[in-house]
Amino acid sequence: MNLLTMENLSKVFTEREVLSGTDFSVNEGEKIGVIGVNGTGKSTLLRMIAGEEEPDGGRITKGNGVVIRYLPQTSVFPEDMTVLEAVLHGNVDRINEWSIESEARALLYELGITDTEQRMSELSGGQKKKTALANVLLKSSDILVLDEPTNHLDGAMAEWLEERLIRYRGAIVMVTHDRYFLDRIANRIVELDKGKIYSYPGSYSEFVRLKEERQNMELASERKRKSILKKELEWLMRGARARSTKQKAHIQRIEDMRAEKGVEEEKTLKMGSLSSRLGKKTVEIQNLAKAYGEKKLFAEYSYMFLKNDRIGIVGSNGCGKSTLLKILAGETKPDAGEIEIGPTVKIGYFSQESEHLPEDMRVIDYVKEAGEYVRTEDGMVTAAQMLENFLFDGPMQWGRIEKLSGGEKRRLYLLRILMEAPNMLLLDEPTNDLDIKTLTILEDYLDHFDGIVVTVSHDRYFLDRTVSRIFAFEDGRIRQYEGGYSDYLFKVEQEGKEKGEGGEKEEREKPQKEKREKPKSRKLKFSYKEEQEFGTIEGEIEALENRLTQIENEILEHARDYTKLNELTEEKTKTEETLLEKMERWEYLTDLAEKIKAERGASE
């Protein structure tokens, strides 16, 4: 059953045509993911569906009695309104007035909000997003319209929302950059591109495959058109005498072919490595502590960042993730502890707030403030060329920042930071408001970035793709896990099971066990096997690291060969596990060697 139809829509913003003769429809039971590069009109389309904005041309037809609920990117409630009042806003009627308040409290409890009398002005970004979600989910609707629903939500809440939307009985139209979220929920993907809408059945993974097929067919047709046109032009140019006998219709057909707009290959966001040289001494934090009032964020935390570290920071909203990044960036002082920064370290800090870009400044002038030129892997590149690579064409470069969409401003802010060629990147929620296309290229850029990357993100796909170590905020302390986000979840789950099965028994028996197994004092020394192992283990680690690099290159080469890809992925997992074991063994042997050396020195 058709719920909503949009015919021949057109919309222009500041001389930019975002929709041009576009048709779109929503049917019962559909869960539609809307994607496209920032500035192509995704949020505009959602506002039109919700009735919040009118098209410049075309017609929108909604079925009788169809109820639409809308979650904008940024929901605004009065600052003095309580959480409960905000959730109930627009949801109370004569039918539900006796039960709706208890339903609202139950929904807020599921979202982790227990203080329903707290004022909106006191909430964090994540708490405001949860309140807005509760408001839009409290009553059922025929069409649920969601604009970036996972922004500011931690991983647990994103999974909760996934399960809720999978069970949702109405139709859903959503814009989101979360590819795991899209893949699990969407049964249709709609892409906005150059004012047109392309519809693909299936999940996000299916869309990637079908889009590549469509583009290949279009490019093949374009090559064929150019080949025919070349032959026709040769025929047309065979002398004035021959031309006089040509059929007028034939000549007109050739002129029409010449005037026809050809298919362009999709522009991509190109980013060569812009980092500057990083010396041996990087950044070391010692016994770091921070609290706000009685709330302790972390204490006595120490870590030495290694060159090419890829670290993801995770935890619930308000636990201190962004605070840690601000301390590393020098914007916030710790309560205790020290930070030592090497002389060659150059930090680039990509904050959540985008530093309130100067709205009246021209785009190109803003980038030129960071540098007229920048050295990349391909040589010197001008600010204008870098803007072109970042999908800011000529007219956009000379326009004011105020004319850009929210996502385009984030992309511009990212370029400005990279133009300064940092060798340590601090990224605070980099996926918020960036389109999937930009995220894909950013991930590829980070693969080749010659420096340290520390990322705070709730985007599970992004973390799995870019990090190899997790810092997890757990009850006022920071705990380290090796691997990506999925590895971290698996380890937490396993630890929970082990603790549930045998943890209590182990704790009870621990004192007696320690008494029985108290070691006797003996002289430290390597065993024969340990001595042999210590002499070869560094070479084994290097060989494993080289093999991992080879596997990653082979994965890129066989991206479409799923059988080979599965084999390589399995080998990569086993190699990473072996490497981790070797590294832990190397640390033990090195520590033992130093203790043996110290003991010998003391005895002599």
Side-chain angles (χ1 to χ4, degrees):
M1 176 184 170
N2 181 265
L3 301 175
L4 181 138
T5 302
M6 310 173 87
E7 299 173 283
N8 201 31
L9 290 189
S10 62
K11 187 71 177 180
V12 178
F13 279 120
T14 59
E15 302 177 355
R16 187 196 308 183
E17 191 174 40
V18 294
L19 295 173
S20 174
T22 299
D23 297 330
F24 179 71
S25 64
V26 181
N27 297 313
E28 196 172 29
E30 284 193 312
K31 291 181 168 61
I32 302 169
V34 181
I35 64 175
V37 175
N38 292 133
T40 54
K42 301 187 298 295
S43 294
T44 301
L45 178 66
L46 261 56
R47 286 195 295 271
M48 289 181 183
I49 294 171
E52 301 282 323
E53 190 165 325
E54 293 294 325
D56 294 336
R59 185 174 63 175
I60 301 174
T61 307
K62 186 175 72 170
N64 290 332
V66 170
V67 177
I68 299 174
R69 304 300 306 274
Y70 172 53
L71 175 77
Q73 275 193 45
T74 305
S75 299
V76 180
F77 296 102
E79 294 288 280
D80 60 345
M81 187 178 275
T82 68
V83 171
L84 183 60
E85 288 170 344
V87 175
L88 293 174
H89 182 68
N91 283 318
V92 182
D93 54 40
R94 286 184 300 173
I95 298 173
N96 65 22
E97 60 182 329
W98 299 108
S99 61
I100 194 72
E101 184 173 322
S102 61
E103 292 172 14
R105 290 181 187 276
L107 185 54
L108 283 167
Y109 183 78
E110 284 188 61
L111 285 161
I113 296 178
T114 54
D115 186 358
T116 59
E117 298 305 312
Q118 194 173 8
R119 300 290 171 184
M120 292 301 296
S121 60
E122 301 169 358
L123 301 186
S124 67
Q127 291 170 322
K128 287 179 179 177
K129 175 64 79 172
K130 290 176 184 178
T131 303
L133 274 169
N135 173 271
V136 81
L137 293 173
L138 188 57
K139 284 178 68 175
S140 61
S141 62
D142 299 292
I143 303 176
L144 185 60
V145 182
L146 306 173
D147 198 349
E148 296 290 3
T150 61
N151 271 9
H152 305 294
L153 293 185
D154 58 44
M157 282 295 98
E159 289 175 15
W160 175 89
L161 183 58
E162 270 181 16
E163 297 300 329
R164 182 105 183 185
L165 296 183
I166 288 170
R167 299 193 305 269
Y168 197 81
R169 292 184 178 181
I172 298 172
V173 185
M174 59 183 172
V175 169
T176 179
H177 61 264
D178 190 324
R179 284 152 287 181
Y180 281 160
F181 194 81
L182 266 181
D183 221 26
R184 287 202 66 199
I185 297 170
N187 55 28
R188 177 182 163 204
I189 299 293
V190 164
E191 182 184 28
L192 269 66
D193 186 20
K194 301 180 181 69
K196 300 296 182 183
I197 284 180
Y198 299 91
S199 184
Y200 302 84
S203 65
Y204 176 75
S205 299
E206 187 68 7
F207 152 75
V208 173
R209 183 183 67 80
L210 292 173
K211 182 182 178 182
E212 185 177 13
E213 288 181 2
R214 174 180 72 81
Q215 289 179 328
N216 289 339
M217 288 173 63
E218 288 179 349
L219 291 172
S221 298
E222 176 62 11
R223 287 192 294 269
K224 185 176 180 181
R225 184 188 74 85
K226 287 180 177 179
S227 177
I228 293 171
L229 180 59
K230 182 181 178 182
K231 291 178 182 177
E232 294 283 30
L233 288 172
E234 289 173 354
W235 177 85
L236 188 62
M237 300 300 291
R238 286 178 190 157
R241 184 175 175 183
R243 257 199 322 275
S244 63
T245 62
K246 309 296 183 193
Q247 293 181 359
K248 288 184 178 180
H250 195 166
I251 294 173
Q252 185 59 48
R253 185 169 70 86
I254 295 171
E255 293 300 328
D256 291 342
M257 287 180 69
R258 292 179 70 178
E260 186 179 332
K261 188 177 180 180
V263 176
E264 297 179 5
E265 287 199 53
E266 188 173 10
K267 291 175 74 175
T268 58
L269 183 59
K270 305 170 189 174
M271 293 194 289
S273 179
L274 308 179
S275 61
S276 51
R277 189 188 71 83
L278 182 62
K280 287 185 178 180
K281 186 174 182 181
T282 58
V283 176
E284 184 174 359
I285 54 179
Q286 297 177 346
N287 300 318
L288 216 60
K290 185 66 181 179
Y292 286 109
E294 296 182 359
K295 184 175 181 180
K296 184 176 75 173
L297 301 181
F298 49 85
E300 297 183 357
Y301 186 67
S302 301
Y303 184 78
M304 184 175 71
F305 290 91
L306 305 175
K307 190 176 181 182
N308 294 320
D309 252 350
R310 297 291 187 269
I311 293 168
I313 302 178
V314 300
S316 59
N317 293 122
C319 66
K321 304 184 298 295
S322 295
T323 301
L324 178 58
L325 249 59
K326 288 178 180 177
I327 290 172
L328 291 172
E331 296 198 355
T332 299
K333 296 290 184 184
D335 297 336
E338 296 180 354
I339 301 177
E340 293 183 20
I341 299 177
T344 62
V345 174
K346 189 174 182 181
I347 294 175
Y349 175 46
F350 184 72
S351 71
Q352 284 195 52
E353 296 79 20
S354 300
E355 291 189 341
H356 306 293
L357 304 186
E359 297 283 314
D360 60 343
M361 184 179 280
R362 291 185 305 185
V363 169
I364 193 164
D365 293 335
Y366 176 68
V367 174
K368 281 184 175 180
E369 277 190 345
E372 295 271 353
Y373 300 88
V374 65
R375 184 178 296 280
T376 71
E377 295 167 342
D378 304 318
M380 298 298 288
V381 179
T382 66
Q385 288 171 321
M386 285 301 297
L387 279 164
E388 188 74 29
N389 290 339
F390 267 63
L391 309 180
F392 293 103
D393 58 21
M396 290 181 72
Q397 293 181 21
W398 294 98
R400 305 284 177 188
I401 291 175
E402 64 187 357
K403 294 182 179 180
L404 301 180
S405 69
E408 287 171 330
K409 289 176 182 177
R410 290 284 283 174
R411 194 196 311 153
L412 178 65
Y413 176 47
L414 176 63
L415 171 58
R416 165 69 181 257
I417 290 168
L418 296 179
M419 283 288 288
E420 295 171 355
N423 48 34
M424 183 175 186
L425 276 173
L426 306 178
L427 306 175
D428 195 357
E429 294 293 356
T431 64
N432 282 359
D433 300 320
L434 288 184
D435 57 81
I436 291 174
K437 185 176 176 181
T438 304
L439 288 177
T440 302
I441 307 302
L442 175 57
E443 290 158 1
D444 184 62
Y445 173 79
L446 294 179
D447 285 342
H448 301 92
F449 180 74
D450 189 19
I452 298 165
V453 181
V454 185
T455 304
V456 169
S457 180
H458 294 133
D459 190 320
R460 298 156 292 171
Y461 185 99
F462 186 80
L463 288 174
D464 271 340
R465 177 70 177 76
T466 60
V467 309
S468 56
R469 183 169 295 139
I470 295 289
F471 288 176
F473 278 69
E474 299 176 352
D475 301 322
R477 66 188 184 116
I478 301 173
R479 189 174 172 193
Q480 184 176 318
Y481 296 84
E482 297 304 312
Y485 184 76
S486 295
D487 299 315
Y488 152 73
L489 287 181
F490 177 76
K491 288 169 186 173
V492 169
E493 184 180 353
Q494 289 299 110
E495 287 176 4
K497 287 180 181 178
E498 290 171 6
K499 187 174 181 180
E501 292 169 0
E504 294 179 4
K505 181 181 178 182
E506 185 179 331
E507 287 298 316
R508 288 196 303 270
E509 295 178 354
K510 191 174 180 181
Q512 291 80 4
K513 187 176 180 182
E514 286 176 347
K515 288 177 184 177
R516 290 195 304 268
E517 296 180 356
K518 187 175 180 180
K520 295 179 181 179
S521 178
R522 63 181 180 86
K523 189 175 180 180
L524 288 172
K525 67 175 183 177
F526 272 134
S527 68
Y528 176 80
K529 185 179 177 182
E530 286 173 339
E531 191 169 8
Q532 296 297 312
E533 188 180 6
F534 188 58
T536 61
I537 195 166
E538 288 189 359
E540 292 171 358
I541 288 171
E542 184 178 357
L544 286 167
E545 289 174 336
N546 291 337
R547 179 55 191 151
L548 271 179
T549 302
Q550 291 174 358
I551 292 171
E552 288 169 356
N553 291 333
E554 288 175 29
I555 285 173
L556 292 174
E557 292 172 5
H558 298 89
R560 297 295 171 188
D561 185 349
Y562 295 107
T563 303
K564 184 66 174 176
L565 200 58
N566 285 334
E567 293 174 2
L568 290 168
T569 304
E570 187 175 343
E571 184 185 354
K572 182 185 177 185
T573 301
K574 290 179 180 177
T575 306
E576 285 174 338
E577 289 172 354
T578 305
L579 178 60
L580 180 58
E581 291 171 1
K582 290 288 183 185
M583 290 293 291
E584 290 172 348
R585 184 65 177 165
W586 175 83
E587 287 178 6
Y588 165 76
L589 292 170
T590 302
D591 185 54
L592 181 57
E594 289 175 355
K595 287 178 180 177
I596 291 170
K597 185 178 178 181
E599 189 176 81
R600 285 176 182 170
S603 63
E604 291 171 2

